[in-house]
Amino acid sequence: MVIVRYRYIGSNVQIAMEQLWIDMAAVLAAAAPLVIAAMGETLSERAGVINLSLDGTMLLAAMTGFAVAFTTQNLILGFAAAALVGALVAAVLGVFSLTLGQSQTAVGFVLALLCTDLSSFLGAPFVRLPGPAVPFMPIPGLADLPILGPILFRHDPVIYASFLLVPATAYLLYSTRLGLIVRALGERPAAVYARGIDVTRWRYAMLILGGALVGIAGAAFSLDLKQGWSYRHTFGSGWIVLAIVIFGGWRPLRVALGCYLFAALEIVATRSQSALPGIPTQMIQVAPFVFMILVLALVNLASSPTVARWIATLPSVWQRPLLVIVYRLRATAPAALGQPFERP
């Protein structure tokens, strides 16, 4: 009887561990579109431009990507069309804010509403239609590795691309001359201009590149994560991406961590629906969004000088660990973020 019981316990532990690997793989998959969009917005904001049109852009790109892929039966054309939509919306934002000097925040918000309505109107013929989807593509050899295989190497090309995009963005920003220029655009554009670099042109380039990545992220929803098209298909993901970029302190690795955290919260919320039948489904669905708001509030609080002064009044035994936590949470926006540049 003892042997049977130990075998039963061992079997339950194995099942639990396998479920954990599956859930971790699901988190990576669910976060992929967020990671792609967040890397695009990080590049844009590092260059000093806030793109508040993200939510509408992702919706319009998701619809366009699915419509083109459905019509042509070609996934590559679908993603290309979505990237083009994202780049065009970003270019429109650039014309009004960078060239005409209008408020980046106001123009971005209007574009978000406009693109949202356009996606609903133009996408009506494609609602609930079955269409092409990104194929599952495990990596031979690596997919059979214990633990790492199921987590990292049994996905599709979009998810693999999201893995590579994070270190690529970090390398671009911190290890290349281009990255130095981009960071300087967001911190001291006048110094960049003094060195003979066209600030507006480079900001356009980063804004359009970031917009293209946001468009690809929209197509990643309709052609991969949530296959098909429906009204409000991306469910506020653009606003979450904007919040995650702030949470991540405009640093690619930390931004990616925020994406995975939010995806994990969504997975937990989904699992909790059956475990907590007494709680309304709507409350469980919005819980990840509420948690992200609390995290953002904590990040902003950590950046406040008042918190540092309060920590200084505490006993020394508490000061060091609290200061470490505050330092890790602190997020400082690029100094020229959202500010128009006027040539001297």
Side-chain angles (χ1 to χ4, degrees):
M1 291 294 293
V2 174
I3 295 175
V4 171
R5 188 166 74 177
Y6 276 121
R7 285 178 178 173
Y8 177 75
I9 294 173
S11 176
N12 282 347
V13 171
Q14 183 179 359
I15 292 172
M17 294 304 292
E18 289 176 354
Q19 184 61 49
L20 177 61
W21 310 145
I22 293 172
D23 287 344
M24 291 179 68
V27 167
L28 297 180
L34 299 177
V35 169
I36 296 171
M39 293 302 106
E41 182 63 13
T42 298
L43 289 174
S44 174
E45 295 198 12
R46 276 290 194 166
V49 185
I50 303 173
N51 185 356
L52 284 189
S53 72
L54 258 64
D55 200 60
T57 300
M58 290 178 74
L59 277 167
L60 188 58
M63 184 280 299
T64 303
F66 178 78
V68 171
F70 177 84
T71 304
T72 64
Q73 291 298 303
N74 189 310
L75 287 169
I76 295 177
L77 288 179
F79 276 99
L84 181 59
V85 165
L88 287 175
V89 175
V92 171
L93 173 62
V95 169
F96 280 95
S97 61
L98 300 180
T99 302
L100 301 180
Q102 301 302 309
S103 167
Q104 296 175 14
T105 303
V107 174
F109 188 70
V110 170
L111 284 174
L113 298 177
L114 175 62
C115 291
T116 298
D117 290 340
L118 278 176
S119 70
S120 300
F121 175 72
L122 298 176
F126 300 97
V127 173
R128 306 295 181 186
L129 292 180
V134 178
F136 177 64
M137 195 177 292
I139 299 178
L142 296 178
D144 297 324
L145 292 173
I147 301 178
L148 291 180
I151 296 175
L152 296 176
F153 304 116
R154 295 182 186 176
H155 296 288
D156 59 57
V158 172
I159 299 169
Y160 298 139
S162 72
F163 295 162
L164 298 175
L165 187 58
V166 177
T169 305
Y171 177 80
L172 183 149
L173 284 175
Y174 300 113
S175 302
T176 67
R177 181 176 180 274
L178 172 60
L180 180 62
I181 293 173
V182 171
R183 287 183 286 128
L185 289 171
E187 296 290 347
R188 298 184 63 189
V192 176
Y193 179 77
R195 295 185 65 86
I197 296 173
D198 191 323
V199 172
T200 301
R201 183 178 298 176
W202 277 93
R203 281 184 168 179
Y204 260 110
M206 289 300 104
L207 178 61
I208 291 173
L209 175 59
L213 289 174
V214 171
I216 292 172
F221 274 106
S222 58
L223 296 176
D224 189 15
L225 184 62
K226 299 179 180 179
Q227 297 169 11
W229 168 251
S230 60
Y231 176 69
R232 299 276 181 164
H233 195 69
T234 58
F235 191 61
S237 298
W239 301 114
I240 285 297
V241 168
L242 287 165
I244 289 173
V245 171
I246 299 172
F247 163 75
W250 296 269
R251 298 194 289 269
L253 297 181
R254 185 167 153 180
V255 169
L257 178 63
C259 295
Y260 293 124
L261 172 61
F262 181 77
L265 291 172
E266 286 194 310
I267 297 297
V268 170
T270 301
R271 296 280 188 269
S272 300
Q273 288 184 10
S274 58
L276 301 171
I279 299 179
T281 304
Q282 293 82 357
M283 290 185 63
I284 295 176
Q285 289 176 342
V286 302
F289 295 88
V290 175
F291 184 81
M292 284 305 300
I293 292 173
L294 293 176
V295 169
L296 277 176
L298 183 61
V299 169
N300 289 330
L301 190 64
S303 303
S304 171
T306 304
V307 173
R309 288 195 294 268
W310 174 74
I311 292 175
T313 64
L314 298 175
S316 57
V317 68
W318 292 102
Q319 287 185 17
R320 183 175 178 81
L322 286 175
L323 286 173
V324 170
I325 294 173
V326 167
Y327 176 78
R328 295 296 182 186
L329 288 176
R330 184 174 296 166
T332 305
L337 180 60
Q339 299 178 6
F341 173 73
E342 297 181 1
R343 296 182 180 182

